[in-house]
Amino acid sequence: MSKHFTALADLSVPTIMALLDRAHFFFHQTTSHLPRVLEHKVIANVFFEPSTRTRISFEMAAKRLGAEVINFDLSNSSVKKGESLYDTLRTLEAIGSDALVLRHADDRIFETLGPKLKTPLVNAGAGKHEHPSQGLLDLFTLQREFKRLEGLHIAILGDIRHSRVAGSMMLVAQRLGIKVSLCAADEFLPVQLPGNCSKQTLDHVLPDVDAVMCLRNQFERHEGLDMDNAAFHRDWGLTSARAARMKPSAIIMHPAPVNRGIEISDELVEAPASRIFQQMENGVFVRMSILEWILKRDSL
Ligand code: CP
């Protein structure tokens, strides 16, 4: 059975902590001292949905550890001639890819494909379900800031129902002792709230939380939902007035890309409390850890 990285829900807490520890190890190396543990490996980036951060940071992570990278070009591929996703991945496998980093709109694509492929699969975002490398980099960002995870309280704000980023965090937080408050209008809340998550008004929890995790409004998944962006910003956005009520030690997170002025005020994106660009930096170290884990570290 191949080792895939498809969902944080499937990983034990010791494995998650070991992946984070290894990401911290990579973070503390200078670039020239990074171990080239993936030399002679070929990673294929196979993105069926747009991406800037995830695709490029997987490429950066692979190259920094000595691997080569193939970026599958969907628009010029034989998918346009009707080739299936499975046949496309089998082709990349046959040609010699050692790992397949896949983003796809189907929530359950990894459950379908995982058992059929010998080459390790990495989930780079699956529909509205999970985005586990983002979940791991969000945990890394919290650890880097607070030196711990247990006992932290985070508010997840905005379009939670359509967010795979929230999906990964909500599932893993309980097992790591993180309290989660969900702050959203009913139409943006999950249909079922995970056990550790409670619905709260942002104004109520702001003075208590260690981090506010804003989410991108996933307009492409709204399927006819009528959005009033100005009203959303007023009622549910992280504004400067709301941010001023956060603890001095609290941080602002967002997976990006950011709709400035909708889920978060423009001026907060690069405010002193914001870790949004640091999250992108952290993503490279976390993705090094993931690639090494699926290709090299059998013991975890
Ligand atoms: N956060 C995130 O997944 O960004 P991209 O869509 O640019 O990869």
Side-chain angles (χ1 to χ4, degrees):
M1 188 92 158
S2 290
K3 187 169 171 183
H4 303 301
F5 178 85
T6 59
L8 290 187
D10 294 344
L11 299 180
S12 68
V13 168
T15 298
I16 291 168
M17 298 313 284
L19 284 164
L20 290 169
D21 285 351
R22 192 63 175 162
H24 284 283
F25 167 80
F26 291 131
F27 168 67
H28 284 106
Q29 308 305 304
T30 54
T31 303
S32 59
H33 283 87
L34 282 165
R36 294 180 67 80
V37 289
L38 299 185
E39 210 145 38
H40 309 302
K41 299 290 185 188
V42 179
I43 314 294
N45 269 334
V46 190
F47 280 65
F48 278 69
E49 285 189 330
S51 169
T52 298
R53 276 145 291 274
T54 311
R55 184 176 59 78
I56 293 173
S57 59
F58 267 115
E59 179 166 0
M60 183 67 84
K63 288 180 170 171
R64 288 262 157 94
L65 297 184
E68 293 173 59
V69 177
I70 292 170
N71 281 305
F72 171 74
D73 177 4
L74 177 63
S75 61
N76 287 307
S77 73
S78 288
V79 172
K80 298 295 168 195
K81 295 184 261 180
E83 189 162 38
S84 70
L85 173 60
Y86 174 72
D87 284 341
T88 300
L89 297 177
R90 285 287 290 118
T91 300
L92 292 165
E93 198 171 48
I95 288 169
S97 302
D98 295 296
L100 303 167
V101 178
L102 174 66
R103 172 172 286 189
H104 200 276
D106 184 340
D107 285 11
R108 300 290 163 190
I109 199 68
F110 290 92
E111 288 165 30
T112 311
L113 291 172
K116 297 182 184 171
L117 290 164
K118 292 191 198 76
T119 303
L121 278 172
V122 177
N123 180 350
K128 301 187 288 291
H129 182 51
E130 269 232 39
H131 190 351
S133 68
Q134 178 74 44
L136 213 53
L137 82 84
D138 290 339
L139 293 173
F140 183 93
T141 302
L142 291 169
Q143 273 186 330
R144 194 173 152 184
E145 190 70 31
F146 299 107
K147 316 295 177 225
R148 68 191 167 98
L149 293 174
E150 192 162 2
L152 294 180
H153 180 190
I154 63 171
I156 303 182
L157 171 63
D159 186 2
I160 302 166
R161 181 176 297 185
H162 305 99
S163 171
R164 53 197 175 207
V165 175
S168 283
M169 181 54 84
M170 288 187 296
L171 288 171
V172 81
Q174 182 172 29
R175 290 191 291 150
L176 298 173
I178 300 170
K179 180 177 167 187
V180 179
S181 294
L182 302 180
C183 306
D186 286 343
E187 64 267 33
F188 292 113
L189 283 172
V191 178
Q192 283 187 313
L193 298 195
N196 60 317
C197 301
S198 62
K199 179 186 170 184
Q200 301 286 347
T201 58
L202 185 61
D203 291 327
H204 175 69
V205 295
L206 268 175
D208 187 58
V209 296
D210 298 296
V212 175
M213 183 182 288
C214 306
L215 298 172
R216 181 175 72 86
N217 266 15
Q218 321 265 311
F219 295 110
E220 72 277 18
R221 300 199 176 94
H222 283 177
E223 291 161 6
L225 200 66
D226 205 11
M227 281 293 299
D228 177 340
N229 290 334
F232 186 93
H233 186 65
R234 182 194 64 223
D235 296 340
W236 296 103
L238 189 62
T239 60
S240 292
R242 289 190 172 117
R245 301 186 56 237
M246 292 164 58
K247 290 192 285 196
S249 59
I251 60 170
I252 297 167
M253 298 167 67
H254 189 307
V258 178
N259 297 304
R260 289 178 183 243
I262 300 181
E263 63 263 6
I264 181 170
S265 294
D266 183 31
E267 65 273 13
L268 291 179
V269 174
E270 294 176 81
S274 169
R275 297 294 177 272
I276 296 172
F277 287 93
Q278 192 202 89
Q279 284 173 269
M280 299 176 207
E281 177 193 342
N282 293 343
V284 178
F285 304 112
V286 161
R287 288 170 177 130
M288 286 180 191
S289 179
I290 294 165
L291 291 175
E292 183 195 40
W293 178 70
I294 55 158
L295 289 168
K296 288 282 175 184
R297 302 183 83 203
D298 292 332
S299 55
L300 290 176

